[in-house]
């Protein structure tokens, strides 16, 4: 059988079509089972050149049989990293929520474009309801929201809306007609997408001012105030401040209320990048970490991170209604006609810089329906409980592990593994250098063993350290116990 | 059963997990069958307020049963527009390619992030191979490519890379330090994402110069040349020209070679927006429409349009290797460490303005494997055959239909439906006004009947007209015959 034996090519091909889809479903379901099976490796690592040899990736001249395609499917998964594995702690997006997966399957079958009510009536309404629910949790009375292909683009939206609010004329006339250089502020530990936004928007990365952080990685408000004054005195125009709620590496929360005081004083746009940490708002036990959130003008919040929704799923919320559309509207006649047979306020396409927009709502909505608010509270609490447990474990093994920060605020736990030969070595540049060299080797061993995946990086004056992320509901105490033992097994002799 | 009865919450929940996924697969497969069943309506139209009443969209406080979620799935599809229906001709992205759907299911199960080889080894290599294949078809010798969440973002990349190539200092210092105002050129009929890019990038939409088109909607090269000179004489800095290969409404191809002569003369970046038309390169019968394509510096090409891949799937190709990364690199230490245990040139994340990036390659790759190059040639040829057939039909019914353009270059067919009372009315503003009012009413009737979906819009001096798009393999001659009859049935008395 080949593709022409399926619908719509062969109109009698319904049984074969169903069979093909079921077989893909079966292969996928088997992968899901293996993902959660602790007896399975997280990955079967191959170097790129090796992998090219074992896989047939070429585009053929002529059709391949459906059997070959199913074989391709199995092969692709065979060498793929299982990001939902309970021992994959490598990224902010870990885990595999089965309900969300089901949601994405249905989304694919529906294959719609989120720009108009005409094409996506159900999903447009679903997005409205869910975004309103999120704004309510944030504490915005009204406002507006959109979903974006990732937090980086969500942050870009926030910067753009802020610029539009202060200088609407830039939209037609560009930055050069403004009375001065626009500058933005964020902490040195903020996500690199802010830098990206500054470059994209034509401000230049030099005009993204990086505010120092304290030893816990939190922005220092007095420094922010000082830097704003400094920029003003140079004749530049501050317009935007971004606080990070959950920094990428350390998981720190910038002090929202203190920053809001400063942005109010200077009348600047106050954005919170909660791409990573936003989920803490879902639990009464953790939402205090973002106390003051309702004072912000906009918020990025990625359900594809802490909430476990499949990638891509990012949201950006704006306190003032109407700004998103004012900023991004290009009024394409062919899509956003005003004489349609329904209320065109439901057409959302002119609020975004995309035209075609993937349906990212269904997998989020369905997951939220499945858990309810109470289930998501448990979800968040579980991640924090596991994190606390991990920190306790590391603290109980101070010979083998050194924490970068004794009291992580989010599920990021940053630490060094200390191999045997370093334990008696005294602190100083030599030890520091070796420490930095050892972690990547250990990471390589993890990947080869396939038993554990944790990310590492250097930061500020710190040499390479591991950043363990707990962002999957699959993680339990046993996995953390395993991790401690496994790191020791793999790293002992380094 | 609720979500906690599934993996990973209940580690014995494998059978229930599989059952849940199978049931979603079953609901989806049934939807696929209905989609291709001409006896089924394309949509069951409800006004927003009505739909809100029949659907329960709220986020509950507590978990819902899996049965309720499956019910939600069925409900969502029940009121959804079937964009794969053979009589859905409303958008540039129509159709439902079953193999691509299977690909997306597997993609969802794999749930990976395309930023590093570490996380997505198989899919990163797949993307490389497929992008190289596309560049070969374009005729770029080397070059680089990326996938983006839609053609609008792909076009944004092209503008950014062009800006970077001419003025790399903007990246750090911003636009205000440049020696003058940057200006871009595109045709008046080009896609609104170019305007979006001009606004986003801080150039301002006034600095996107719109070049006039001829009666077929093609850019007039002499006008381009004149406008470039005009901008130069004002002291502005032209840097970027976009030719559209397949305009959104009329499907026109701008004259590539003539434009290339001008961009070469003025030393400007030459981008081709082939988001819609790029697919013509896949057939020897149609690729002449883009003759000269290899002279461009960059090309946007959306597999989610003419090639029928599920949304989102867009690509942008750059002739000069290294520019994408130079332009977008922000070198985040935590992701793109240089001391990883493999060749980090395989990490693609620093080439894009996204951080998390959805895996859009698998559904494209699998579809291409299923058809081979020869199958895709047939795919494109079929769309053009159907278009020719439609045009013939409309020409055979000149009393009922008036074509905007007698010889469409792509599968866009633009026409007015002429109701009975207008047939004897003489041309002039009155007839024109009524003509413009009638088409939206007819569209409303189509939606209520659920039998046909065609988009409409006004353009230039033309009142509202229909733009019929054939972009689905499901369309056959019978559907076109049906369309002619159905338009008459619904519009006769208007
Ligand atoms: C704090 C923060 N903001 C923004 C982002 C970007 O989100 P995305 O990967 O969805 O683009 C990240 C990603 O890690 C992040 O950690
Ligand atoms: C010519 C052209 N360019 C770009 C785009 C934007 O593509 P996307 O909808 O994928 O953003 C479109 C969409 O219709 C188009 O027709």
């Amino acid at each position: 059988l080949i593709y022409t034996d399926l619908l719509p090519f062969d109109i009698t091909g319904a049984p074969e079509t169903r069979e093909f889809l079921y077989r893909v479903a079966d292969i996928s379901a088997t992968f899901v089972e293996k993902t959660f099976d602790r007896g399975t490796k997280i990955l079967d690592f191959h170097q790129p050149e090796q992998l090219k040899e074992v896989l047939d990736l070429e585009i053929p001249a002529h059709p391949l049989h459906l059997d070959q395609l199913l074989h391709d499917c199995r092969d692709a998964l065979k060498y793929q990293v299982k990001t939902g594995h309970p021992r994959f702690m490598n990224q902010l997006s870990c885990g595999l929520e089965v309900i969300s997966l089901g949601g994405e399957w249905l989304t694919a079958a529906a294959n719609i474009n989120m720009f108009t009510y005409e094409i996506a009536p159900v999903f447009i309404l679903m997005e409205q309801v869910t975004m309103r629910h999120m704004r309510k949790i944030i504490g915005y009375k009204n406002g507006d929201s959109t979903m974006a292909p990732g937090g980086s683009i969500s942050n870009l939206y926030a910067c753009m809306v802020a610029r539009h609010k202060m200088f609407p004329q830039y939209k037609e006339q560009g930055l050069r007609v403004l009375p001065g250089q626009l500058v933005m502020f964020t902490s040195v530990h903020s996500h690199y997408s802010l830098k990206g936004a500054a470059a994209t928007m034509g401000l230049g990365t030099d005009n993204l001012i990086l505010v120092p952080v304290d030893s816990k990685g939190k922005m220092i408000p007095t420094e922010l105030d000082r830097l704003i004054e400094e920029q003003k005195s140079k004749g530049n125009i501050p317009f935007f401040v971004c606080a990070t709620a959950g920094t990428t590496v350390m998981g720190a929360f910038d002090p929202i209320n203190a920053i809001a005081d400063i942005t109010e004083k200077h009348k600047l746009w106050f954005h919170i990048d909660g791409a990573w940490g936003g989920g803490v708002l879902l639990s009464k036990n953790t939402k205090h970490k973002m106390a003051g959130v309702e004072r912000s003008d906009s918020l990025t919040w990625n359900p594809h991170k802490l909430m476990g929704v499949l990638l891509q799923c990012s949201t950006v919320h704006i306190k003032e209604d109407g700004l998103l559309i004012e900023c991004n509207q290009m009024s394409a006649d062919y899509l956003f006609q005003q004489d349609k047979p329904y209320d065109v306020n439901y057409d959302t396409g002119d609020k975004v810089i995309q035209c075609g927009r993937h349906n990212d709502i269904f997998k989020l909505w369905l997951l939220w329906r499945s858990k309810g608010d109470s289930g998501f509270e448990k979800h968040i609490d579980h991640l924090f409980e596991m994190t606390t447990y991990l920190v306790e474990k590391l603290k109980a093994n101070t010979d083998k592990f050194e924490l970068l920060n004794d009291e992580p605020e989010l599920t990021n736990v940053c630490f060094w593994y200390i191999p045997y030969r370093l334990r008696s070595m005294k602190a100083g540049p030599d030890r520091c250098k070796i420490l930095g060299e050892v972690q990547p080797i250990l990471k390589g061993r993890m990947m080869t063993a396939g038993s554990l995946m944790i990310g590492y990086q250097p930061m500020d004056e710190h040499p390479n350290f591991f950043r363990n992320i707990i962002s999957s509901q699959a993680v339990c105490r046993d996995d953390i116990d395993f991790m401690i033992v496994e790191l020791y097994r793999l790293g002992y002799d380094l």
Side-chain angles (χ1 to χ4, degrees), chain A:
Chain A
L1 294 184
I2 66 166
Y3 76 100
T4 48
D5 297 305
L6 304 183
L7 291 173
F9 301 93
D10 183 340
I11 51 161
T12 67
E16 291 78 8
T17 300
R18 200 172 266 270
E19 174 71 16
F20 174 77
L21 288 172
Y22 281 178
R23 287 180 69 184
V24 176
D26 177 52
I27 292 168
S28 301
T30 302
F31 181 77
V32 172
E33 282 170 17
K34 280 198 197 146
T35 289
F36 293 125
D37 173 2
R38 292 176 172 79
T40 318
K41 284 180 167 194
I42 303 173
L43 78 164
D44 180 8
F45 183 72
H46 288 69
Q47 292 290 345
E49 297 309 321
Q50 295 173 313
L51 201 50
K52 283 184 203 168
E53 265 168 40
V54 295
L55 289 176
D56 171 17
L57 295 172
E58 292 306 313
I59 306 291
H62 300 294
L64 297 178
H65 290 136
L66 298 185
D67 278 343
Q68 175 61 42
L69 301 178
L70 292 167
H71 189 82
D72 285 350
C73 286
R74 274 184 294 262
D75 256 14
L77 292 178
K78 187 166 166 203
Y79 297 104
Q80 191 39 50
V81 178
K82 297 184 188 68
T83 56
H85 195 289
R87 288 158 190 178
F88 178 86
M89 321 249 186
N90 208 78
Q91 308 294 146
L92 305 185
S93 317
C94 306
L96 184 55
E97 291 275 354
V98 172
I99 307 284
S100 179
L101 173 58
E104 190 71 343
W105 284 10
L106 191 108
T107 299
N111 191 29
I112 58 91
N113 198 322
M114 290 295 282
F115 47 40
T116 61
Y117 180 84
E118 181 177 338
I119 303 306
V122 179
F123 301 109
I124 290 276
L125 294 183
M126 218 171 249
E127 198 174 72
Q128 273 197 354
V129 170
T130 312
M131 293 305 104
R132 200 180 304 128
H133 192 69
M134 291 178 88
R135 288 199 301 275
K136 208 171 140 197
I137 291 169
I138 297 164
Y140 289 170
K141 294 266 166 350
N142 301 293
D144 196 7
S145 312
T146 191
M147 302 189 76
S152 302
I153 308 274
S154 289
N155 284 339
L156 176 63
Y157 277 123
C159 299
M160 286 174 61
V161 167
R163 172 171 72 173
H164 186 82
K165 173 78 179 171
M166 192 177 271
F167 291 112
Q169 68 269 39
Y170 92 90
K171 186 174 172 181
E172 279 82 34
Q173 297 171 267
L175 294 176
R176 293 176 66 93
V177 304
L178 302 190
Q181 173 67 50
L182 297 183
V183 287
M184 313 201 285
F185 301 81
T186 189
S187 92
V188 279
H189 280 188
S190 69
H191 190 257
Y192 71 98
S193 51
L194 275 306
K195 255 177 143 180
T200 302
M201 289 166 69
L203 266 53
T205 52
D206 290 352
N207 296 304
L208 174 71
I209 310 298
L210 298 178
V211 183
V213 294
D214 65 18
S215 65
K216 307 211 148 179
K218 298 159 98 81
M219 186 192 279
I220 304 172
T222 50
E223 286 293 291
L224 170 65
D225 198 32
R226 182 183 66 75
L227 287 163
I228 293 171
E229 294 290 0
E230 184 178 295
Q231 286 298 320
K232 282 184 171 174
S233 71
K234 285 187 184 166
N236 290 339
I237 309 176
F239 75 107
F240 177 92
V241 173
C242 170
T244 311
T247 57
T248 311
V249 178
M250 288 185 72
F253 285 82
D254 288 343
I256 294 183
N257 273 316
I259 294 171
D261 291 343
I262 295 168
T263 56
E264 280 167 19
K265 182 176 92 177
H266 293 282
K267 299 203 170 43
L268 307 183
W269 185 278
F270 180 29
H271 175 64
I272 299 178
D273 177 6
W276 169 221
V280 302
L281 294 171
L282 296 171
S283 168
K284 62 177 168 320
N285 303 307
T286 50
K287 69 179 182 194
H288 66 272
K289 292 172 191 278
M290 287 179 70
V293 57
E294 70 290 347
R295 295 176 66 186
S296 64
D297 295 300
S298 57
L299 174 77
T300 292
W301 174 359
N302 278 6
H304 74 212
K305 298 196 197 286
L306 219 46
M307 292 171 75
V309 178
L310 298 198
L311 198 90
Q312 62 189 49
C313 192
S314 173
T315 65
V316 58
H317 308 273
I318 315 281
K319 186 188 256 162
E320 183 179 330
D321 194 11
L323 281 182
L324 260 179
I325 190 148
E326 261 181 47
C327 175
N328 293 320
Q329 186 166 49
M330 296 292 151
S331 300
D333 274 341
Y334 79 98
L335 275 180
F336 311 118
Q337 311 91 296
Q338 298 302 304
D339 48 8
K340 284 188 186 176
Y342 59 85
D343 177 357
V344 295
N345 286 316
Y346 286 92
D347 289 354
T348 58
D350 231 6
K351 294 202 296 195
V352 296
I353 60 170
Q354 298 188 283
C355 167
R357 182 159 70 88
H358 186 259
N359 171 2
D360 294 330
I361 188 61
F362 190 68
K363 57 184 171 244
L364 166 61
W365 179 83
L366 197 70
L367 186 64
W368 214 327
R369 295 268 289 177
S370 80
K371 297 190 189 237
D373 289 329
S374 66
F376 255 126
E377 178 161 277
K378 284 210 185 98
H379 173 121
I380 298 295
D381 289 349
H382 176 73
L383 300 176
F384 277 87
E385 271 163 38
M386 292 304 106
T387 305
T388 306
Y389 184 70
L390 169 61
V391 173
E392 278 166 17
K393 277 278 169 179
L394 293 172
K395 284 184 180 166
N397 286 276
T398 43
D399 54 331
K400 303 189 195 73
F401 302 100
E402 222 172 283
L403 280 160
L404 183 87
N405 172 6
D406 271 4
E407 291 173 338
E409 295 182 84
L410 197 45
T411 73
N412 316 38
V413 178
C414 300
F415 66 89
W416 290 271
Y417 174 73
I418 318 286
Y420 192 74
R421 64 170 164 141
L422 284 184
R423 292 188 197 155
S424 50
M425 199 166 163
K426 66 171 185 294
D430 286 352
R431 185 169 183 276
C432 193
K433 179 159 176 292
I434 302 176
L435 213 49
E437 285 162 1
V438 155
Q439 319 296 321
I441 302 174
L442 182 49
K443 170 66 178 264
R445 290 185 180 183
M446 282 182 209
M447 288 176 72
T448 309
S451 53
L452 196 61
M453 282 278 275
I454 312 178
Y456 74 89
Q457 67 281 297
M459 198 180 62
D460 303 340
E461 74 287 4
H462 302 300
N464 281 322
F465 55 89
F466 285 109
R467 176 200 66 164
N468 192 80
I469 296 293
I470 298 182
S471 156
S472 159
Q473 292 296 301
V475 177
C476 70
R477 284 184 168 71
D478 282 355
D479 298 308
I480 288 163
D481 293 342
F482 171 84
M483 186 178 133
I484 301 285
V485 175
E486 183 69 0
L487 283 169
Y488 183 67
R489 183 181 79 84
L490 295 171
Y492 180 82
D493 66 337
L494 276 174

